[in-house]
Amino acid sequence: MIIYHLKSAIRYIRSNKITSALNIIGLSITFVIFIFLGSYLANESGMGKNLPDSKDIYRLQGQNGTSVSYKTIELLDAIPEVSTYTWLMDSWSMKQYFVSGTKTYAPGKVLYASKDFFKVFPYQAIVGNIQQALNSPNGIVLTQSMAEKIFGKQNPIGKSITFKSTAFGDFQYQVASVIKDLPQNDMLKFSCILPQSSLDKVDWYKRGRQQWGNCNYETFVVLKKGTSIEATDQKLTAAFKKAAPGWFSKDVKHLSLKSFSTLYYNNPFPEDVLAQNSLTNIRSIAILALILLLVGTVNFINLSTAQKEKKRKNIAISSINGASGTAINLQFIFESFLLVFISFIIAVALVALTYPLFNQLSGQSFSFLSILSIFISQKLWLIPIAIAALAGMIIATYFRAGQFHLISQNNVPGKATYAMYY
């Protein structure tokens, strides 16, 4: 029966080339847009969830901003509820680049981090001791793609590289570890990590670090299990008011810990080391995706019901030949599935060709394989199947709403008229 319905669907497409072509074009465009928007939304919904136990990470922040001073960070050592913490900052140089041999390389996003960075953010190392990588002021951690960009396929551990920046000058580093490339839903999105301790060589920076008002650091904390956030906030604020000068405590007012998992959508501070987005934007894109799917589905159904008489005759003939209502429904569903399948294959090919343009327009860095991975892992492929099944049932219901009767005319074989009664 399956083969019969499949052949019937193929015959229908061949006999209705223009209508089928319009349907395939419309659905292909709909699926291309849906694949892009669906992958984007699925990725956005999982931002920051690539790290194990990300729910246990919190950002230390004051009332007037996310960044805190080093003097404020030191207060964490006296809070017993704190398991570990790290502080980091962007490299905010106007111009910066790597030098290896005679070649220069754009560094991508550079972060300076304290030595316990990888205890708070447990990224997976490919080579090197990741837990000790930032203990030395001369160590540097690269992502896999950055390491291959500079050193090719050779083992980069222990190899020297110079980092030049207009803000801090020239520094010589040795590669201490290489980590896997960050997934698309990572919130830090860096290409290399430099040790904060290397900046102690810069006198003005080292002096500024001892000033309460020099708030340059994003600080992330891991709390011990069972810790009360509210009680810890109160302890931090009490310690801060006791230690900080009056003018600074009046400005900052209080300290608090904000869950890392909530920072992507609810971050009021645009100057941040973390990627961020507006929840309103995400909802708007989700509504747009649903509208496009709805429009594409309605257009598909309208075009499929365009040739009413031919479909009515086919149903009447099938009914007279003893076909059940279920069999007729399956005929329409198979036709829909075949059109949807062809459209989806074309859409995937178009996505492979146009994803660089999507990245350029959206500011993302998807690869074709990452889009397919998201589409499969998030079960978005169920949407085209649902469209095919729903459209097939609606079309079948539309054409079987009345009863069809075959009336012989003049008893001449092969001549018949079809009447429909409601």
Side-chain angles (χ1 to χ4, degrees):
M1 179 178 288
I2 293 177
I3 295 176
Y4 168 78
H5 285 302
L6 182 60
K7 289 180 177 180
S8 178
I10 294 173
R11 283 196 301 270
Y12 168 76
I13 292 175
R14 286 177 176 176
S15 62
N16 298 275
K17 293 183 176 64
I18 296 177
T19 303
S20 298
L22 291 174
N23 248 334
I24 290 171
I25 292 171
L27 276 179
S28 297
I29 295 173
T30 299
F31 286 151
V32 167
I33 298 174
F34 173 71
I35 290 172
F36 282 136
L37 294 185
S39 299
Y40 173 79
L41 290 170
N43 181 73
E44 293 294 292
S45 67
M47 288 299 292
K49 296 179 181 177
N50 57 299
L51 295 169
D53 299 325
S54 60
K55 63 182 182 300
D56 296 326
I57 303 174
Y58 297 84
R59 182 175 62 190
L60 175 65
Q61 60 187 45
Q63 179 176 321
N64 62 340
T66 61
S67 298
V68 295
S69 65
Y70 180 73
K71 299 295 288 184
T72 303
I73 296 170
E74 288 181 319
L75 299 175
L76 292 171
D77 293 325
I79 306 299
E81 290 82 1
V82 174
S83 175
T84 187
Y85 65 89
T86 188
W87 39 285
L88 56 149
M89 70 176 188
D90 267 320
S91 176
W92 27 263
S93 297
M94 294 294 293
K95 185 178 181 181
Q96 55 189 17
Y97 55 93
F98 285 124
V99 178
S100 178
T102 59
K103 295 183 179 180
T104 61
Y105 303 90
K109 182 177 179 179
V110 178
L111 293 180
Y112 288 95
S114 61
K115 62 184 181 65
D116 289 331
F117 175 83
F118 291 105
K119 292 180 181 178
V120 177
F121 299 102
Y123 292 100
Q124 188 172 353
I126 298 175
V127 290
N129 189 333
I130 194 68
Q131 296 301 328
Q132 298 181 10
L134 300 177
N135 289 355
S136 167
N138 299 319
I140 183 175
V141 178
L142 302 174
T143 59
Q144 183 178 6
S145 58
M146 179 57 67
E148 291 179 355
K149 178 180 178 181
I150 299 173
F151 300 105
K153 295 297 183 180
Q154 58 183 315
N155 187 350
I157 299 299
K159 294 188 178 297
S160 295
I161 185 173
T162 301
F163 181 64
K164 294 177 176 285
S165 70
T166 53
F168 301 115
D170 298 355
F171 285 84
Q172 190 80 15
Y173 293 103
Q174 287 185 329
V175 179
S177 184
V178 175
I179 63 173
K180 288 186 175 181
D181 285 338
L182 309 186
Q184 184 67 27
N185 63 338
D186 187 82
M187 288 172 60
L188 286 171
K189 296 185 181 299
F190 59 85
S191 57
C192 65
I193 298 287
L194 304 177
Q196 281 276 3
S197 57
S198 66
L199 296 180
D200 288 343
K201 302 174 185 178
V202 182
D203 289 338
W204 64 264
Y205 172 83
K206 188 175 181 179
R207 291 194 304 269
R209 202 169 65 182
Q210 299 305 314
Q211 298 175 6
W212 279 95
N214 191 7
C215 299
N216 291 321
Y217 308 108
E218 301 283 345
T219 304
F220 296 92
V221 177
V222 175
L223 298 178
K224 294 178 181 177
K225 299 292 184 182
T227 296
S228 168
I229 305 301
E230 184 178 352
T232 306
D233 286 350
Q234 293 174 355
K235 284 186 179 182
L236 282 167
T237 299
F240 172 73
K241 288 183 176 180
K242 183 178 179 179
W247 64 268
F248 188 62
S249 61
K250 288 180 180 179
D251 183 34
V252 176
K253 295 183 180 179
H254 65 82
L255 299 177
S256 62
L257 296 172
K258 190 159 181 78
S259 175
F260 179 80
S261 60
T262 66
L263 293 173
Y264 187 70
Y265 300 112
N266 301 290
N267 194 343
F269 310 105
E271 299 298 329
D272 199 354
V273 298
L274 299 177
Q276 54 188 286
N277 203 342
S278 165
L279 194 57
T280 302
N281 291 342
I282 301 301
R283 287 171 177 166
S284 299
I285 294 173
I287 292 172
L288 176 62
L290 289 174
I291 291 174
L292 288 172
L293 271 180
L294 180 61
V295 170
T297 303
V298 170
N299 181 66
F300 173 58
I301 294 172
N302 284 339
L303 285 173
S304 296
T305 57
Q307 294 181 317
K308 296 182 178 64
E309 290 303 321
K310 182 178 290 188
K311 284 183 177 292
R312 287 171 180 169
K313 291 178 181 180
N314 289 339
I315 292 175
I317 293 171
S318 297
S319 298
I320 290 171
N321 288 332
S324 64
T326 300
I328 294 173
N329 287 344
L330 284 175
Q331 179 180 334
F332 283 104
I333 291 173
F334 265 83
E335 290 174 4
S336 295
F337 265 102
L338 186 57
L339 286 170
V340 168
F341 177 76
I342 295 171
S343 302
F344 184 73
I345 295 299
I346 293 174
V348 170
L350 290 174
V351 167
L353 295 174
T354 60
Y355 79 87
L357 177 61
F358 174 74
N359 285 337
Q360 185 178 355
L361 294 174
S362 64
Q364 300 296 310
S365 54
F366 287 109
S367 66
F368 175 63
L369 291 179
S370 68
I371 291 175
L372 287 186
S373 176
I374 292 173
F375 196 80
I376 294 171
S377 64
Q378 298 299 317
K379 298 182 179 180
L380 297 178
W381 50 269
L382 290 173
I383 300 296
I385 294 177
I387 289 175
L390 178 63
M393 290 301 297
I394 291 175
I395 295 168
T397 302
Y398 173 80
F399 283 109
R400 294 183 63 244
Q403 290 183 342
F404 292 84
H405 298 277
L406 178 64
I407 303 175
S408 297
Q409 188 177 55
N410 300 326
N411 295 322
V412 179
K415 292 185 178 181
T417 59
Y418 298 85
M420 184 167 121
Y421 302 96
Y422 291 96

